[in-house]
Amino acid sequence: MASDSYDVIVLGAGPTGENVADRAVRGGLSAVVVESELVGGECSYWACMPSKALLRPVGVVSEAAAVRGVTGARLEPAEVLARRDTFTHDWKDDGQVEWLNGAKISLVRGHARLSGERLVSVGDVTLAARHAVVIATGTDALVPPALAGVRPWTSREATSAKSAPSRLVIVGGGVVGCEMAAAWSALGSRVTLVSRGALLDRLPAFAGELVAAGLRDAGVDVRTGVNVSAASRAGGTVTLTLDDGTPVEADEVLAAAGRTPKTAGIGLPSVGLEDGTWLSVDDTMRVTDVDGGWLYACGDVNHLALLTHMGKYQARVCGDAIAARAAGREPAVVDIASRTRVPQVVFTLPEVAAVGLTAEQATAAGLRVRVVEYEIGNVAGAKLFADGYQGRAQMVVDEDRRVIVGLTLAGPGVGEMIHAATIAVVGEVPLDLLWHAVPAYPTMSEVWLRLLEAYGL
Ligand SMILES: Cc1cc2nc3c(=O)[nH]c(=O)nc-3n(C[C@H](O)[C@H](O)[C@H](O)COP(=O)(O)OP(=O)(O)OC[C@H]3O[C@@H](n4cnc5c(N)ncnc54)[C@H](O)[C@@H]3O)c2cc1C
């Protein structure tokens, strides 16, 4: 049995694993990542990149259709799919491997599993870590038991399919379900979206309501408040029975009902952890239930925020913490964003963008909050952006500190507006100071001024 030593060993070369290794190397350490599939992870090949490559043309056509005087914008599905394939590099990772080489990060291909304190096995090889082991193995799609026997699509097929099924039923009204409904209905599928609750139910209700209306306008059959009670497949046809007794037939069914951690079979019991569990971490990404302080977990696998940008942020925090501790110091920077200040954009029809806490979450956290809302369509920039612009902004203010703790925007083109809100929330910019951040006229960002005026400034 061969053995190699590195300062840091990372399990998984997704966006998180790549970044934690990079940060450790920048901090003067040696690092190896172990990858069982493609360097770049879910995000590059079956999630963010291909899904947004499918959705951007949909957004362009929808925006063009909302401006009088613009005609002729339409999708060419084969070209959209071909463009998508350029973003996934035809599911080859040569470019990302080159990046690893340039960043002086070693790569071992194979399935990694912990085999004891600071030890990782890959086939016959044992890797030993001088300072830290980082688990960044990500998540898999969660397939509800009712769908297990009908060979459902998961997010992987939904982002990599080579053609649109004639009829697609999507089970799950969260981000993946809503985004894929927008994409595949525009690409030619007749889509039924089945959701147990309201759409996007972790966000303020108006966001899901606008998206439900937008998807219906786009031809999606949106059914909320229903679940799948049975499913069967005969040849090319899947039949779902909903719990209100209605049958739904389709050629493909997409399970978009959440994620499950890829932590089964990676040797967690060898260090005293339960197989297949989410990993709980402190604010430097160190796993809380393991002695010795050598095991870290970043990205999806710690369940703090299942988003690429948050995984990469945690990777920076984690890599810096490992490098600091290796040098005998405590880390200067720890995670202040993952639990309460997470930005997110949902690329649906229309877009939804949010950061921080909802009013319910802020109240549950013991804050005295005030909620202010404004119709984005009233500002000149929105009227110019789309005829009959429909959209809303909601600001959640911590009344005791007079700072914004959460902001949600729903409407065409709002995705690019969220970073201003992230700066306000993370920077805890006092409202009286924010009032002097003058939005340019005539942009949609004037909604900031209107929200502050509605608040009473
Ligand atoms: C359809 C869809 C769309 C999404 N869109 C967005 C978006 O627009 N923006 C956004 O921010 N987030 C988006 N996400 C979420 C995003 O994809 C994840 O948050 C992100 O990929 C997590 O990165 P990660 O590095 O933690 O895990 P992953 O990207 O899952 O990478 C983990 C890597 O570890 C490897 N691995 C696993 N087990 C082992 C093992 N035992 N040994 C060796 N290697 C192993 C895997 O092969 C994989 O390469 C989307 C998700 C889905 C499903």
Side-chain angles (χ1 to χ4, degrees), residues 293-374:
W294 58 277
L295 187 64
Y296 294 75
C298 295
D300 275 15
V301 85
N302 65 27
H303 209 214
L304 287 178
L306 277 65
L307 292 159
T308 289
H309 47 275
M310 296 311 295
K312 288 160 77 170
Y313 163 73
Q314 292 167 11
R316 297 191 288 273
V317 167
C318 177
D320 286 1
I322 292 169
R325 285 176 178 140
R329 301 187 307 270
E330 263 312 286
V333 177
V334 299
D335 176 11
I336 63 159
S338 296
R339 292 168 216 262
T340 54
R341 296 160 196 193
V342 175
Q344 175 174 22
V345 176
V346 189
F347 295 81
T348 35
L349 295 169
E351 289 178 353
V352 177
V355 61
L357 303 174
T358 61
E360 291 72 24
Q361 289 166 334
T363 306
L367 302 181
R368 195 169 62 85
V369 300
R370 181 161 155 218
V371 174
V372 177
E373 295 196 350
Y374 192 79

Side-chain angles (χ1 to χ4, degrees), residues 136-451:
T137 49
T139 51
D140 269 325
L142 180 74
V143 176
L147 300 183
V150 296
R151 301 192 303 279
W153 273 12
T154 66
S155 46
R156 286 202 163 191
E157 290 76 20
T159 50
S160 63
K162 298 291 182 194
S163 61
S166 310
R167 298 165 301 172
L168 174 66
V169 56
I170 300 176
V171 178
V175 175
V176 172
C178 291
E179 288 189 345
M180 291 299 96
W184 288 108
S185 74
L187 289 166
S189 299
R190 212 162 73 229
V191 175
T192 306
L193 177 59
V194 176
S195 178
R196 190 164 58 174
L199 301 189
L200 303 176
D201 62 2
R202 293 187 187 167
L203 292 167
F206 71 86
E209 286 159 13
L210 279 165
V211 170
L215 290 176
R216 284 191 177 112
D217 283 351
V220 176
D221 179 359
V222 179
R223 307 200 194 173
T224 53
V226 279
N227 211 343
V228 178
S229 52
S232 60
R233 183 184 271 279
T237 301
V238 183
T239 306
L240 303 185
T241 307
L242 305 185
D243 56 10
D244 61 2
T246 327
V248 183
E249 283 198 346
D251 303 287
E252 299 293 351
V253 53
L254 165 60
R259 309 291 298 174
T260 179
K262 265 196 215 170
T263 54
I266 64 160
L268 292 185
S270 74
V271 296
L273 296 171
E274 192 187 326
D275 204 32
T277 190
W278 297 105
L279 296 165
S280 71
V281 292
D282 68 12
D283 289 342
T284 64
M285 303 301 135
R286 201 145 63 166
V287 175
T288 46
D289 306 322
V290 172
D291 291 338
W294 58 277
L295 187 64
Y296 294 75
C298 295
D300 275 15
V301 85
N302 65 27
H303 209 214
L304 287 178
L306 277 65
L307 292 159
T308 289
H309 47 275
M310 296 311 295
K312 288 160 77 170
Y313 163 73
Q314 292 167 11
R316 297 191 288 273
V317 167
C318 177
D320 286 1
I322 292 169
R325 285 176 178 140
R329 301 187 307 270
E330 263 312 286
V333 177
V334 299
D335 176 11
I336 63 159
S338 296
R339 292 168 216 262
T340 54
R341 296 160 196 193
V342 175
Q344 175 174 22
V345 176
V346 189
F347 295 81
T348 35
L349 295 169
E351 289 178 353
V352 177
V355 61
L357 303 174
T358 61
E360 291 72 24
Q361 289 166 334
T363 306
L367 302 181
R368 195 169 62 85
V369 300
R370 181 161 155 218
V371 174
V372 177
E373 295 196 350
Y374 192 79
E375 295 299 319
I376 304 174
N378 289 341
V379 303
K383 290 185 208 293
L384 290 162
F385 193 90
D387 300 330
Y389 189 104
Q390 295 285 319
R392 191 184 298 181
Q394 183 190 78
M395 171 173 89
V396 181
V397 176
D398 173 349
E399 284 290 77
D400 291 324
R401 291 181 304 146
R402 280 171 72 87
V403 296
I404 301 174
V405 291
L407 194 121
T408 304
L409 304 163
V414 297
E416 291 294 341
M417 289 169 69
I418 200 60
H419 195 57
T422 306
I423 293 169
V425 170
V426 173
E428 300 185 334
V429 183
L431 291 185
D432 299 302
L433 182 57
L434 202 53
W435 192 79
H436 296 278
V438 182
Y441 182 82
T443 63
M444 287 202 287
S445 293
E446 276 203 310
V447 73
W448 279 97
L449 176 57
R450 301 289 169 243
L451 284 167

